[in-house]
Amino acid sequence: KIFGQLTEIINSHELTLTDISDTNSLINELNKRYPLLSGSRYIVAVNKQTITANTVLNDDSVVALLPPFSGG
């Protein structure tokens, strides 16, 4: 799932990718397909939990790309 200004780069709110073993591989694949994404700041969440390190993905993992949160 894609949120915020990231949808303008990917031109979709949702993508389905196969044969992606972990979040590092996912980010690399997305950067290849959507070069503008590599210059964007975003947070990665796996199954509704934000992550800060490479995370293993399986067939039923749901990954979200979230724009940075602003405080207030």
Side-chain angles (χ1 to χ4, degrees):
K1 299 192 183 271
I2 308 355
F3 295 92
Q5 77 272 16
L6 302 173
T7 59
E8 295 172 13
I9 295 171
I10 295 177
N11 202 30
S12 178
H13 290 281
E14 189 168 306
L15 292 173
T16 301
L17 301 175
T18 57
D19 299 322
I20 303 289
S21 60
D22 55 42
T23 53
N24 284 352
S25 299
L26 173 67
I27 291 167
N28 289 336
E29 181 63 26
L30 290 173
N31 287 340
K32 279 190 233 174
R33 291 182 186 204
Y34 308 99
L36 290 175
L37 194 61
S38 65
S40 299
R41 294 183 59 209
Y42 56 90
I43 297 163
V44 178
V46 177
N47 299 324
K48 299 183 180 180
Q49 297 290 318
T50 58
I51 61 164
T52 58
N54 190 30
T55 302
V56 174
L57 301 174
N58 55 47
D59 290 342
D60 61 345
S61 293
V62 175
V63 177
L65 304 182
L66 308 163
F69 303 116
S70 58

